[in-house]
Amino acid sequence: MASPPPPLLLTLVWAAALLWCGGCDARFVVEKNSLRVTAPEALKGAYECAIGNFGVPQYGGTMVGVVAYPKANRKACKGFDDFDVSFKARPGALPTFLLVDRGGAAAILVADDRDEPLITMDTPEESGRVEYLENITIPSTLISKSFGDRLKKAIDNGEMVNVNLDWRESLPHPDERVEYEFWTNSNDECGPKCDSQIDFVKSFKGAAQILEKKGYTQFTPHYITWYCPEAYTLSKQCKSQCINHGRYCAPDPDQDFSKGYDGKDVVVQNLRQVCVYKVAKESKKPWLWWDYVTDFAVRCPMKEKKYTKECADGVVKSLGLDHKAIDKCIGDPDADEENPILKAEQDAQIGNGSRGDVTILPTLVINNRQYRGKLDKAAVLKALCAGFRETTEPAVCLSEDIQTNECLENNGGCWQDKAANITACKDTFRGKVCECPVVKGVKFVGDGYTHCEASGGGRCEINNGGCWKETMNGRTYSACTADSCKCPDGFKGDGIHECEDIDECKERTACQCKECNCKNTWGSYECGCSGGLLYMKEHDTCISKSTAAQVGWNFLWVVFFGLAATGIAGYAVYKYRIRRYMDSEIRAIMAQYMPLESQGEIPSNAHHIEM
């Protein structure tokens, strides 16, 4: 039997090992954003840069600034106050992007000191500077050595370098739902990184549950495990750090194998948290994972010796989850066989498509891209919101905490109807868009910038379809029709801004007979007749009232006699058709009992009937 490895060596094996995946090549994908130089002319163009694992990338947004390269402290190892230098932008000035050599600006550009592909800058291990790094709130990005050298040369020559950092496409946003994973750990004794994970879960729980309950997101928690090298599966160290005979392991929480909790305790609790999520999801309440993890961290800490199954069961019971289903999901940690849940977790660690292998804790994956930056509620929420398709972001993404409403100033330069309180400006996480709205089921069409017009059924119900409308003397006229703006009868104009009354009397379009007296009204006219005559509008003429009455009675008599004649004619036709029908029926009946001339001779043996 091989001698057991020393504890430090075993820890390094686990910490550095990429998971076993049947001989596949492990991949670490560097997440990138775009950097565009707009001046000077010699440097104009787009360049790739790698997003750092510290600072706060402006996911979904852009940032414009001027690059500064300090003459002293070029590695930024000390504070610039010691050199009487400030990079804080003055009012009205462009923000400053500080360029430093690898080793108050608006962003940090770190120039690599060697020719190599872009890599991801990570925070150093616990070294007393972690708290300082947690306070970094500006984005940081790594640029290649060759590009950095060109920037330095331009700045040293006195040229002003203008740069646009663009994170809008750093995360894909394929549809109206964001899918994200959080790779975490139940261990609370691993120092500042464990503390930051717990603090993040506590602070982000509310927003995460709102997004999940309303179907805006699909969240999945994951846990990293390592395997024990086959040569050491029977060693004391592997037995204390692994379950299922060395298949799933975690480092000792406090790096002391002689006291406290062991790595296998962490693996079991990680497995329990996966099963809590699985059971909660099956009960249509996957967001209960956030409650469980938060409560477990508070109620069952390692420091108080409560990191146990009994304490965990108490949390499960308080949330109304089925602890038997959770125990069944966990299975037997001592069995010499694969655990399907942990096996699936190991498989999930392998990179898929644009996502690389998960090898760092904690890791956040949004729409299959690894998040880079600070594990902070506002920063992560900003990244999640960048994963939504534009104009589909939930309200939580449009809060003042993470973005400004560009429609508040000058309506974003979009079309608006102040009278009807309708606007084409839509505030989104990435900025405003000018898009004609749908109001009360009525769709407006247009370019969204200079005009929008209501269309389709019901358009006249919204601001009268943008058409002319006026009321006078208790009478209202409108130019709105189902598909256009057209002045009504009695008016002329464009139908949108104006419809002018037509003076039928002046234009001699009505009431023009010799005896007629014409008076124009708004939208119509009145016509009378002199000499006691009666005006007939349909003929635009005047006739005497007696003549009108006689004409009326004569018309009635004509109608009466016409109806009578029609009735008599109809009755005659009816009688004629009835008689013909009866005759044909009688002939058919008689033909059955009496021979007709057309029939043959009567047979000799027929009986004679005497009358």
Side-chain angles (χ1 to χ4, degrees):
M1 179 187 301
S3 60
L8 179 60
L9 174 60
L10 188 60
T11 301
L12 290 175
V13 168
W14 284 329
L18 296 172
L19 63 117
W20 173 77
C21 58
C24 66
D25 293 328
R27 298 184 310 120
F28 182 87
V29 175
V30 177
E31 301 298 342
K32 301 174 183 177
N33 62 303
S34 174
L35 184 153
R36 180 173 293 276
V37 178
T38 56
E41 190 69 28
L43 287 175
K44 269 189 177 181
Y47 303 85
E48 280 191 337
C49 45
I51 303 173
N53 252 3
F54 52 87
V56 182
Q58 302 299 310
Y59 283 106
T62 61
M63 183 181 291
V64 177
V66 178
V67 180
Y69 184 49
K71 294 185 180 298
N73 195 30
R74 288 186 164 180
K75 290 186 178 291
C77 294
K78 298 180 180 179
F80 284 96
D81 291 340
D82 298 340
F83 299 85
D84 293 325
V85 176
S86 174
F87 294 103
K88 186 176 181 180
R90 296 175 182 177
L94 286 172
T96 300
F97 295 170
L98 184 60
L99 173 63
V100 299
D101 295 331
R102 180 179 167 188
I108 291 288
L109 303 180
V110 181
D112 206 337
D113 62 355
R114 67 201 70 175
D115 290 314
E116 62 180 348
L118 290 172
I119 61 174
T120 298
M121 298 182 295
D122 195 14
T123 58
E125 295 301 318
E126 287 74 357
S127 59
R129 299 180 61 86
V130 176
E131 292 182 3
Y132 172 76
L133 289 166
E134 285 297 311
N135 293 326
I136 298 177
T137 58
I138 60 175
S140 58
T141 189
L142 180 70
I143 60 177
S144 67
K145 182 179 184 300
S146 59
F147 178 45
D149 290 342
R150 295 178 67 192
L151 289 179
K152 295 172 189 176
K153 182 178 180 181
I155 295 170
D156 288 340
N157 290 337
E159 295 190 85
M160 183 177 179
V161 179
N162 289 3
V163 166
N164 184 344
L165 284 172
D166 190 343
W167 293 268
R168 287 176 298 179
E169 300 304 323
S170 296
L171 289 176
H173 34 88
D175 51 35
E176 300 177 8
R177 187 181 72 175
V178 170
E179 299 177 6
Y180 70 108
E181 308 166 5
F182 182 44
W183 290 80
T184 183
N185 200 325
S186 64
N187 181 2
D188 60 12
E189 282 286 307
C190 63
K193 280 204 171 183
C194 280
D195 295 338
S196 68
Q197 288 183 68
I198 294 171
D199 291 341
F200 167 72
V201 171
K202 290 178 181 177
S203 65
F204 196 68
K205 181 180 78 168
Q209 290 183 324
I210 290 173
L211 292 169
E212 199 75 9
K213 288 178 181 179
K214 295 188 176 182
Y216 294 123
T217 60
Q218 180 177 296
F219 164 74
T220 308
H222 286 295
Y223 297 81
I224 288 180
T225 61
W226 292 270
Y227 67 93
C228 182
E230 188 175 354
Y232 305 112
T233 54
L234 299 180
S235 68
K236 179 181 178 182
Q237 286 83 358
C238 273
K239 288 182 178 180
S240 67
Q241 309 310 299
C242 310
I243 66 172
N244 294 90
H245 287 243
R247 289 179 174 85
Y248 315 105
C249 314
D252 188 279
D254 55 9
Q255 300 299 305
D256 190 336
F257 290 81
S258 63
K259 64 178 183 179
Y261 290 98
D262 294 324
K264 67 180 181 182
D265 299 315
V266 175
V267 178
V268 172
Q269 289 297 346
N270 288 349
L271 175 57
R272 178 172 281 106
Q273 293 190 1
V274 177
C275 289
V276 164
Y277 170 77
K278 184 175 182 294
V279 171
K281 185 178 181 181
E282 289 172 353
S283 63
K284 309 299 183 183
K285 296 179 180 180
W287 52 83
L288 287 179
W289 178 90
W290 294 91
D291 291 309
Y292 175 83
V293 172
T294 302
D295 292 353
F296 181 81
V298 173
R299 295 170 57 178
C300 311
M302 289 181 175
K303 295 180 180 68
E304 298 179 14
K305 310 297 183 185
K306 295 180 179 179
Y307 191 80
T308 62
K309 180 183 185 305
E310 291 72 25
C311 187
D313 285 344
V315 178
V316 168
K317 184 178 180 181
S318 68
L319 296 176
L321 292 168
D322 187 348
H323 72 89
K324 291 184 178 179
I326 293 172
D327 288 343
K328 182 179 179 181
C329 171
I330 293 171
D332 183 6
D334 296 322
D336 186 8
E337 60 185 14
E338 287 187 345
N339 181 293
I341 301 299
L342 290 178
K343 180 62 169 62
E345 290 296 288
Q346 285 189 343
D347 291 342
Q349 287 176 239
I350 303 170
N352 179 22
S354 59
R355 195 210 81 186
D357 297 335
V358 178
T359 58
I360 300 174
L361 281 178
T363 290
L364 189 69
V365 178
I366 303 174
N367 284 350
N368 211 39
R369 294 279 181 85
Q370 291 192 22
Y371 165 84
R372 303 293 184 214
K374 188 177 180 181
L375 195 63
D376 169 83
K377 176 186 176 181
V380 171
L381 184 57
K382 194 177 185 74
L384 284 178
C385 292
F388 288 100
R389 180 177 292 172
E390 203 164 21
T391 74
T392 68
E393 306 93 336
V396 68
C397 290
L398 305 177
S399 65
E400 295 181 358
D401 294 338
I402 61 172
Q403 68 103 42
T404 56
N405 189 343
E406 295 183 21
C407 293
L408 297 179
E409 184 175 349
N410 196 32
N411 197 51
C414 304
W415 170 89
Q416 66 174 330
D417 185 333
K418 292 183 178 179
N421 194 27
I422 301 173
T423 175
C425 189
K426 291 184 179 181
D427 182 43
T428 75
F429 178 72
R430 297 176 186 83
K432 57 84 179 174
V433 293
C434 296
E435 184 178 285
C436 292
V438 176
V439 181
K440 297 181 180 178
V442 178
K443 181 175 177 58
F444 283 71
V445 295
D447 62 8
Y449 292 91
T450 59
H451 75 283
C452 289
E453 295 179 0
S455 65
R459 62 184 297 269
C460 297
E461 299 298 323
I462 306 295
N463 194 31
N464 200 51
C467 303
W468 171 88
K469 182 180 181 181
E470 192 172 338
T471 300
M472 185 182 295
N473 300 327
R475 181 175 294 180
T476 300
Y477 286 99
S478 169
C480 187
T481 65
D483 54 6
S484 65
C485 295
K486 181 181 179 182
C487 290
D489 292 340
F491 292 88
K492 61 182 179 179
D494 61 10
I496 300 175
H497 303 100
E498 182 184 30
C499 283
E500 180 184 356
D501 173 55
I502 297 174
D503 189 339
E504 290 86 356
C505 302
K506 185 177 180 180
E507 296 190 8
R508 306 181 67 83
T509 58
C511 197
Q512 297 300 309
C513 63
K514 182 178 180 182
E515 300 84 3
C516 291
N517 298 317
C518 187
K519 178 183 178 182
N520 186 60
T521 62
W522 187 64
S524 187
Y525 66 94
E526 294 177 359
C527 193
C529 297
S530 59
L533 298 178
L534 182 67
Y535 179 68
M536 296 186 70
K537 189 172 184 179
E538 60 272 17
H539 299 290
D540 192 31
T541 188
C542 292
I543 61 175
S544 67
K545 294 181 179 179
S546 58
T547 303
Q550 183 64 38
V551 170
W553 279 108
N554 289 340
F555 177 74
L556 289 175
W557 280 114
V558 169
V559 171
F560 174 77
F561 284 117
L563 291 174
T566 301
I568 292 171
Y571 179 74
V573 171
Y574 169 76
K575 291 285 291 181
Y576 173 74
R577 293 188 65 181
I578 286 294
R579 175 167 293 181
R580 288 195 62 186
Y581 174 76
M582 291 182 64
D583 287 348
S584 64
E585 286 295 313
I586 291 172
R587 288 175 61 85
I589 294 171
M590 293 180 64
Q592 296 180 21
Y593 297 98
M594 299 180 64
L596 301 178
E597 293 180 358
S598 59
Q599 293 178 338
E601 293 290 334
I602 299 176
S604 58
N605 58 350
H607 297 283
H608 293 277
I609 300 176
E610 294 183 358
M611 301 291 293

